[in-house]
């Protein structure tokens, strides 16, 4: 495991400290949020308290099976990036990071299609994965006609990274589709919903995510399941056969309860025969790309470079 961005460690850790101090005045995210808290989280930008900015460049569409997507299409697209947002399967939205997705579209010359999948607890597993699978199948069938290219990429952050891997596995196992997506970009995802050692041992540190908050999000997404049921490969892709998946870039910070998930997945992905770039960002907490940090600018640049050239 090689770490990146150690030259920014002081800035990164100082930000974590400020975040923890500010979190002391917020309600803990351990228990599953009640309806009021959930509504508030859904109105706010992920990781912040203000609503997200909606750009006129985003086009809301409905595709196969009634699934909603939000598309950002530059003047010229060399590929299509199927983006799946994070938010613990319970909040976040396709229009939650318009500025970032539009910048990615323009700079990497990609049509970016973000999935508005159904959210828990109203729509628990398998609703979200079903919607992502439907959007991916629609792209496989229609990308050439819609966007003038069949070069498909997939990826997302946190819960979106988890859903990206499930989508690739479903395409392979349910539809015999491999190779349609050329690469996967997976930012700080949870891949074992029965909890890896780093998830269990992280404790109550009040960063964006901790042991209690990840456990709470699993209870919202997979209500009524025990640890053994959550180890089903259809729920936790770390336990799946990963043969036939595309090259991947897997990224996580050292201060993330999901650290092991990325380390273990990278090892298994590579063992199954596909190349993997593993990025471990020194001092970074879960969701660090939501915040104005040097490591965020660097990471978004690395993401753009990977998706532009994959």
């Amino acid at each position: 495991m090689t770490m990146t961005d150690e030259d920014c460690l002081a800035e990164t850790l100082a930000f974590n400290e400020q975040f923890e101090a500010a979190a002391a005045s917020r309600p803990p995210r351990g228990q599953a949020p009640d309806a009021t808290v959930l509504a508030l989280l859904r109105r706010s930008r992920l990781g912040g308290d203000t609503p997200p900015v909606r750009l006129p460049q985003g086009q809301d569409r409905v595709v196969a099976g009634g699934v909603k997507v939000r598309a950002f299409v530059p003047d010229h697209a060399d590929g299509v990036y199927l983006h799946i947002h994070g938010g613990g399967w319970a909040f976040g939205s396709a229009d939650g990071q318009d500025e970032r997705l539009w910048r990615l579209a323009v700079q990497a010359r990609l049509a970016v299609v973000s999935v508005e999948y159904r959210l828990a607890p109203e729509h628990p597993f398998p609703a979200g994965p079903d919607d992502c699978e439907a959007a991916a199948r629609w792209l496989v069938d229609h990308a050439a006609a819609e966007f003038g290219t069949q070069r498909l990429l997939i990826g997302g952050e946190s819960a979106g990274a988890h859903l990206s891997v499930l989508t690739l596995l479903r395409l392979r196992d349910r539809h015999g589709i491999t190779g349609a997506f050329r690469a996967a970009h997976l930012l700080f995802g949870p891949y074992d919903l029965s909890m890896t050692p780093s998830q269990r041992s992280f404790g109550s540190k009040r960063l964006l995510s901790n042991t209690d908050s990840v456990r709470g999000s699993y209870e919202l997404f997979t209500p009524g399941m025990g640890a053994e049921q959550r180890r089903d490969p259809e729920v936790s892709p770390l336990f799946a056969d990963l043969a036939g998946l595309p090259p991947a870039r897997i990224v996580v910070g050292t201060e993330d309860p999901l650290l092991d998930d990325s380390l273990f997945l990278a090892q298994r992905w590579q063992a199954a025969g596909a190349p993997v770039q593993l990025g471990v960002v020194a001092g970074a907490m879960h969701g660090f790309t939501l915040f104005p940090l040097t490591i965020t600018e660097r990471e978004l640049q690395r993401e753009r470079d990977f998706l532009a050239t994959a």
Side-chain angles (χ1 to χ4, degrees), residues 133-144:
E133 176 190 350
R137 288 194 67 201
W138 176 78
L139 272 185
V140 170
D141 293 338
H142 299 285

Side-chain angles (χ1 to χ4, degrees), residues 63-74:
V63 299
V67 177
K68 295 175 183 166
V69 299
R70 187 160 171 81
F72 301 85
V73 186

Side-chain angles (χ1 to χ4, degrees), residues 44-83:
S44 298
R45 185 192 287 261
L46 280 178
D49 305 317
T50 54
V53 176
R54 267 180 73 93
L55 294 184
Q57 289 90 342
Q59 308 159 12
D60 293 315
R61 302 187 49 177
V62 179
V63 299
V67 177
K68 295 175 183 166
V69 299
R70 187 160 171 81
F72 301 85
V73 186
D75 291 339
H76 177 82
D78 292 329
V80 185
Y81 176 49
L82 182 63
H83 170 260

Side-chain angles (χ1 to χ4, degrees), residues 79-85 104 110-113 115 129 132-133 135-137 139-140 151-157 160-171 180-187 245-249 269 303 306-307 310:
V80 185
Y81 176 49
L82 182 63
H83 170 260
I84 306 176
H85 70 77
L104 175 64
L110 296 170
V112 177
V113 176
V115 190
C132 296
E133 176 190 350
R137 288 194 67 201
L139 272 185
V140 170
R151 180 173 162 265
L152 302 180
L153 312 156
I154 190 171
E157 313 83 42
H162 164 267
L163 290 168
S164 297
V165 184
L166 288 193
T167 299
L168 290 169
L169 293 169
R170 282 168 166 233
L171 289 177
F181 284 83
R182 312 283 180 88
H185 193 273
L186 307 171
L187 273 178
L245 299 190
R249 183 163 186 271
W269 200 288
E303 175 185 49
F306 175 78
L307 292 172

Side-chain angles (χ1 to χ4, degrees), residues 8-31:
C8 304
L9 188 58
E11 178 200 335
T12 307
L13 293 178
F15 178 81
N16 291 359
E17 253 179 68
Q18 287 166 5
F19 188 94
E20 268 195 275
S25 63
R26 291 197 293 266
R29 288 184 53 203
Q31 59 282 0

